[in-house]
Structures are given as C-alpha cells and as structure tokens.
Amino acid sequence: MRSVNPPDVLANPQVRTLPDAGALQQMYRSMLLSRALDVRMFALNRQGRIPFMVPCQGHEGAQVGMVAALRPGRDFFALYYRDLATALAIGVTPRDIMLGAFARADDPACAGRQMPEHFSDRRLRIFTGSSSVGTQIPHASGIALASKLRGEDDLALASFGEGATSKGDFHEGVNFAAVQRLPVIFFCQNNGYAISERAERQMAVKSVADRAAGYGIPGVSVDGNDAIAVWRAVGEAAVRARAGEGPTLIEARTYRVVPHTSDDDDRAYRSREEVAEWRRRDPIDRLKRFLEEERLLDAATDDQLRREVAEAVEEATGAAEAAPLPDPATLARHVYAEEPDARPDLS
Ligand SMILES: Cc1ncc(C[n+]2csc(CCOP(=O)(O)OP(=O)(O)O)c2C)c(N)n1
Ligand SMILES: [Mg+2]
C-alpha cells in the first residue's frame, strides 16, 4: 500500500487491523454467493434464458472488503455494472438480481426496464446508475455534499473501473469533492482492461492512485484480491471522510478472470496463460486459506456454506423465471412526465 495516509489517521484506534470473526465469515459467504450467482447467470445467458449479464468473477475480494468497512444501509453507494458482490454484500438479494436478469416486473432496480446489473435500491441507499461510464463519480460527490449540508456523517462511495478515470466525469467529481472536502470515497477497481484496452494504453500514470496528487487528496493503491487489505484501506478512508478530512482515492488492483460481458470474447485480446495466472490468485481461495489458518473455517462449514449458496441461487433462478413480465401498457412509465397512451394506434 502506498504510504500517503496522514499519521494521525493510521494511529486512530477506530482503524482496527482485522474485521471480527463474524464479519470475516460474512465476507467469505458474500464472495461465494456472488461467484455462484455469476456462474449461473453466465450459463443462463448461454442457454438463451437471459439476454445479457456483466460478470464479476475475480473482483469479489475488492468489493466485499470495501463494503465490510462501511455501514451498508446508511452510507450511500454509487455503483457500476461490475459490482455484483458489492450489491449482495450491501443487502441486495439473489432473487432481486435474478428478477433484473430476467427483466421481470418485480425487479426492484427498475421493474425490468434497465440493463441487468445496473444496481439500484432506494431502501439500501444504492443510487440508480447509468451505462455511461463514470457518471456515478460526480453523483457521489453531490450525494456527499448533501450529507455534509445536512450535518450527517453518512458518506458516499463511488465505485468504478480504471477506464472511467480517464473520463471528464472523474476529474469533475474528484476535484469538486477535494475542494469542498466532502465525505466521499472514490473506489477504483483496476482490472487492467477497459473492455479490450489495456490500462497502459489509456493512462500514462503507473497507478490510478497517482492521480490523487493532482487533486490534493490521499491516493492509496492496494492489492484488490486481498479482501482484508481492501477493508483496511477503505476503513481508513472512511474515518478520514467522517472526520471532515475529505475524500480519498483508492485503487484496488484486481483482474476479471472472465470476459467483459456475456457479449465479449476475451480470447481476442489476452492470452489464456495470463488469465490462468490470475485465476491462481483467486480472492475467494485467498480468504479461505486465511480463515482456515485462523481456525475460523473448517471443511464441514465450507461445504455447508457452499450448499446454502447453491440453494439460494437455485431458488432465485426459479422464482425469477416464473415471475411475470412487465405489463406492456406501462412501457412509457418514468420516461415522460405524463404517461402517454402506451398502445398508440399505428394503423
Ligand atoms: C461514456 C461511455 N463510453 C464508452 C462506453 C462503453 N464501455 C462500456 S464499459 C467500458 C469499459 C470500462 O472499463 P473500466 O472503467 O476499466 O471498467 P471495467 O469494465 O474494466 O470494470 C466501455 C468503454 C460506455 N458505456 N460509456
Ligand atoms: Mg477496467
């Protein structure tokens, strides 16, 4: 981790060095659930049962470690399409995810109207995102400004890929938050690619964390496949944000071990050896080994967790597939202020 943290923050007793046992086990469970759901959605796509999905595999450690350091339900999240494990760790259910994947009327994110995995949940303070890369970054700064004006200590977190940091939205959102010292965390999941474009072809800095210096804020680079290291870095940033010390930019270095989306073929732009090398650094295996060493997980508990997760995915798939589609008469809802006749006479 880059040593850019002010010493007073590192010395803060609120920044513990390890999550407690219950939190660690919950992190592991969320990672298993995300992986199982992701694998199933990919299969459903290939079977022609869902039109599209955005895989998360490889990013689970970064996402779950990040959420564990915050207050889900109170802090505000502006997510992006890769954030399946994040959404689950915050409290979105597998059934909610599958309702979106099958574009069903009861999908809580948007009643079957958005692309799948465009997470949104008013109850859980997950803001509606757009497919447009990076637009959630200035949103998070605005949300943090509102929190500050209300005198609350609920912070905002924007999650995005390294490709998004080359966009104007990133500059505007981070600069504004830095100047206003807003309680916001900019959480970049650097997986080395923006679809097929390697990171070094779209930014001249070595690390996304280096960009922080241009805004006068701390920049931290952390191993994103180490959930506990991410938890620590986000925890430190949260203490700083809540203390009125402003934003932090965190780069969690990771890798997606699967194609960009169900429509992508990553064999066109990277070798199988490269992918295999990163599969050996799987964040789930890594946390599992740690839990075993700490005697927080044994083989029987692991089997039991994996069975529970498989059942949850099975139940969610069945329920969502059987759920009703949106009524075509509601097609224009939320598009126009006044709902037009959804079935105009085209004869
Ligand atoms: C403004 C905009 N430009 C291009 C796209 C097409 N697009 C979708 S995802 C993506 C790559 C983003 O890469 P990154 O930010 O690194 O996130 P990752 O997908 O790697 O997690 C691009 C170019 C888009 N959705 N929006
Ligand atoms: Mg990327």
Side-chain angles (χ1 to χ4, degrees):
M1 198 164 94
R2 231 157 260 259
S3 180
V4 286
N5 301 305
D8 54 332
V9 169
L10 288 176
N12 191 316
Q14 286 178 49
V15 183
R16 291 166 300 149
T17 51
L18 266 188
D20 61 40
L24 281 166
Q25 284 157 343
Q26 188 54 41
M27 283 162 68
Y28 182 62
R29 189 182 192 285
S30 294
M31 288 164 75
L32 288 179
L33 179 60
S34 177
R35 181 67 61 92
L37 201 55
D38 209 88
V39 167
R40 172 60 67 86
M41 284 196 286
F42 210 101
L44 289 170
N45 173 266
R46 290 300 187 258
Q47 292 163 357
R49 287 156 75 189
I50 64 169
F52 182 73
M53 58 86 67
V54 189
C56 166
Q57 294 171 48
H59 284 235
E60 296 94 340
Q63 298 182 6
V64 165
M66 173 265 280
V67 175
L70 300 177
R71 301 188 303 207
R74 291 213 27 208
D75 292 325
F76 298 95
F77 291 88
L79 304 183
Y80 83 125
Y81 48 77
R82 188 87 52 215
D83 272 316
L84 176 63
T86 311
L88 292 168
I90 295 171
V92 176
T93 67
R95 191 191 280 220
D96 292 341
I97 300 289
M98 280 295 186
L99 286 166
F102 281 99
R104 297 312 202 227
D106 288 339
D107 159 28
C110 62
R113 286 162 162 77
Q114 254 282 29
M115 286 175 90
E117 298 180 87
H118 283 53
F119 309 101
S120 170
D121 195 309
R122 187 186 287 257
R123 191 177 44 98
L124 294 170
R125 296 188 160 187
I126 301 173
F127 273 67
T128 296
S130 141
S131 296
S132 232
V133 163
T135 48
Q136 72 279 23
I137 300 169
H139 293 172
S141 298
I143 295 162
L145 176 63
S147 183
K148 183 177 173 176
L149 291 175
R150 284 197 297 261
E152 294 166 358
D153 73 345
D154 302 325
L155 59 78
L157 179 135
S159 176
F160 47 88
E162 82 294 340
T165 70
S166 297
K167 280 204 67 219
D169 306 75
F170 174 82
H171 169 70
E172 293 166 33
V174 177
N175 188 58
F176 182 76
V179 171
Q180 302 289 332
R181 296 175 81 80
L182 298 178
V184 56
I185 298 173
F186 299 107
F187 186 71
C188 176
Q189 299 175 46
N190 182 354
N191 59 14
Y193 289 87
I195 312 184
S196 56
E197 194 75 335
R198 284 179 187 273
E200 57 269 26
R201 284 174 55 88
Q202 53 89 14
M203 59 185 200
V205 284
K206 286 255 175 313
S207 158
V208 169
D210 293 342
R211 295 196 187 282
Y215 303 100
I217 62 171
V220 178
S221 185
V222 66
D223 180 347
N225 283 14
D226 180 347
I228 296 170
V230 174
W231 173 85
R232 226 171 260 151
V234 175
E236 288 164 7
V239 169
R240 196 152 45 232
R242 292 191 217 284
E245 293 171 22
T248 304
L249 172 62
I250 296 174
E251 171 193 63
R253 295 184 312 277
T254 186
Y255 193 86
R256 64 169 160 75
V257 291
V258 278
H260 171 69
T261 66
S262 54
D263 287 355
D264 177 41
D265 182 355
D266 64 327
R267 290 172 301 185
Y269 56 84
R270 59 185 188 178
S271 71
R272 295 305 86 193
E273 292 72 35
E274 181 183 303
V275 177
E277 168 56 28
W278 277 91
R279 278 197 182 276
R280 284 193 280 279
R281 301 187 220 169
D282 191 297
I284 301 182
D285 294 343
R286 187 152 171 184
L287 187 59
K288 178 170 183 260
R289 277 197 305 276
F290 178 81
L291 292 175
E292 286 167 347
E293 279 162 24
E294 295 291 310
R295 299 191 188 285
L296 294 171
L297 185 73
D298 57 27
T301 314
D302 192 35
D303 286 348
Q304 171 67 20
L305 275 175
R306 285 170 194 265
R307 263 198 307 277
E308 277 174 31
V309 157
E311 275 164 28
V313 171
E314 198 56 39
E315 189 279 334
T317 308
E321 196 162 26
L325 284 161
D327 178 355
T330 66
L331 185 69
R333 187 169 294 167
H334 308 308
V335 177
Y336 302 105
E338 282 178 36
E339 206 165 317
D341 181 356
R343 298 183 202 188
D345 179 5
L346 299 176
S347 58

